């Protein structure tokens, strides 16, 4: 079973990396065929994962409902931080999603299942699907942080912010996009935390860090597909 999971992930990776930037036509998704490349080279400065929202219909309500269902299912099994394939399928079954969106979520599950054991990190998956909603940069970033904040505390720590930004960066790379290097993510989070938590309390509000990060030059580079890293190459 583990070997089969790794084989599916490798096969999907081959499709993604063979034709970046990565954007499936809705007809391809509905037909059950592999995701293809619909973005011409002249659009190379447009993030493919951002363009995905033109072929998806998922929005905040569906993602929040899906997160809450998966948290509940994980809690019943004793590990709310991990989602198994069985829990994933059951969780999606309780959310009103079109088949094409389910297909994209399924493929993202495969990508995040790095061990092939049919399980993924819950927060990583939920944060990873946020770029598919229709919203501004700040809106998507805030929603990603909100979805990470399962307890709805409104506050995060340094490691939390880095996890969210690193996840968004990694998922974009799965879609063939040029992304930020690991040291650039560290730089972005370091500068953000210094700005929003000057007294070094160890906590900061989601609203404060969203505003800073959304305006940072590194975020601009990311959005304009000017990153210097690619999937499998995060120096």
């Amino acid at each position: 079973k583990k070997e089969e999971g790794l084989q599916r992930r490798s096969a999907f990776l081959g499709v993604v990396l063979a034709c970046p930037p990565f954007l499936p036509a809705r007809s391809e998704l509905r037909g059950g065929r592999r995701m293809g490349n619909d973005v011409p080279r002249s659009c190379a400065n447009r993030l493919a994962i951002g363009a995905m929202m033109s072929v998806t219909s998922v929005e905040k309500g569906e993602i929040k409902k899906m997160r809450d269902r998966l948290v509940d299912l994980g809690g019943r099994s004793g590990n709310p931080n991990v989602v198994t394939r069985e829990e994933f399928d059951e969780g999606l079954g309780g959310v009103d999603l079109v088949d094409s969106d389910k297909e994209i979520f399924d493929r993202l599950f495969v990508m995040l299942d790095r061990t092939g054991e049919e399980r993924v990190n819950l927060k990583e998956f939920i944060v990873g699907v946020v770029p598919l909603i229709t919203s501004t940069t700040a809106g998507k970033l805030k929603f990603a942080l909100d979805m990470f904040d399962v307890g709805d505390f409104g506050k995060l720590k340094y490691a939390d912010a880095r996890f969210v930004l690193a996840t968004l960066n990694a998922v974009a790379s799965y879609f063939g996009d040029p992304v930020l290097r690991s040291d650039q993510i560290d730089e972005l989070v370091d500068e953000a935390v210094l700005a929003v938590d000057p007294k070094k309390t160890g906590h900061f509000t989601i609203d404060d860090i969203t505003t800073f990060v959304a305006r940072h030059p590194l975020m601009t580079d990311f959005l304009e597909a000017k990153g210097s890293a690619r999937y499998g190459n995060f120096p």
Side-chain angles (χ1 to χ4, degrees):
K1 190 174 182 180
K2 177 178 179 180
E3 187 174 329
E4 289 177 358
L6 289 173
Q7 288 175 348
R8 282 196 298 274
R9 186 171 187 272
S10 296
F12 183 40
L13 262 178
V15 173
V16 174
L17 299 180
C19 52
F22 175 61
L23 177 64
R26 185 176 289 274
S27 59
E28 288 182 317
L29 287 171
R30 285 179 173 168
R33 295 191 294 274
R34 69 175 178 82
M35 292 183 174
N37 174 21
D38 272 2
V39 182
R41 291 296 178 183
S42 60
C43 297
N45 63 341
R46 182 186 183 194
L47 278 179
I49 193 172
M52 283 292 292
M53 67 184 182
S54 67
V55 295
T56 60
S57 59
V58 65
E59 293 298 343
K60 291 181 179 180
E62 289 89 356
I63 292 178
K64 187 177 187 306
K65 183 176 181 179
M66 182 167 56
R67 183 201 68 173
D68 293 344
R69 280 184 58 81
L70 292 175
V71 168
D72 181 59
L73 289 168
R76 279 190 250 159
S77 66
N79 192 346
N81 298 316
V82 173
V83 178
T84 65
R85 167 60 75 174
E86 183 178 352
E87 292 167 346
F88 175 78
D89 291 339
E90 183 178 345
L92 261 62
V95 182
D96 186 19
L97 297 171
V98 299
D99 289 344
S100 56
D101 289 345
K102 289 180 180 178
E103 174 72 7
I104 292 173
F105 292 163
D106 182 76
R107 290 173 183 250
L108 183 58
F109 183 99
V110 172
M111 289 302 301
L112 295 176
D113 179 21
R114 298 181 182 87
T115 64
E117 297 179 338
E118 299 289 334
R119 61 184 63 224
V120 299
N121 181 292
L122 167 63
K123 291 183 178 181
E124 189 175 23
F125 173 79
I126 291 297
V127 168
V129 301
V130 167
L132 302 178
I133 69 171
T134 304
S135 186
T136 62
T137 298
K140 291 184 180 185
L141 180 58
K142 182 180 185 305
F143 188 58
L145 293 165
D146 284 338
M147 289 299 93
F148 177 92
D149 181 25
V150 174
D152 294 325
F153 300 114
K155 293 185 177 182
L156 298 175
K157 299 178 181 179
Y158 177 97
D160 301 333
R162 195 193 186 288
F163 179 93
V164 171
L165 291 176
T167 296
L168 294 173
N169 196 61
V171 171
S173 78
Y174 297 161
F175 285 75
D177 286 323
V179 294
L180 300 179
R181 303 187 309 270
S182 295
D183 65 293
Q184 290 177 313
I185 295 175
D186 290 338
E187 177 185 345
L188 177 54
V189 178
D190 286 345
E191 292 184 13
V193 172
L194 183 63
V196 302
D197 185 27
K199 295 183 179 180
K200 299 182 179 180
T201 63
H203 296 82
F204 42 83
T205 68
I206 288 176
D207 288 339
D208 284 345
I209 197 166
T210 295
T211 300
F212 185 91
V213 171
R215 297 174 179 174
H216 196 281
L218 283 174
M219 179 57 70
T220 301
D221 286 347
F222 173 78
L223 294 171
E224 295 179 355
K226 294 180 179 178
S228 59
R230 290 277 189 177
Y231 177 81
N233 178 26
F234 290 95

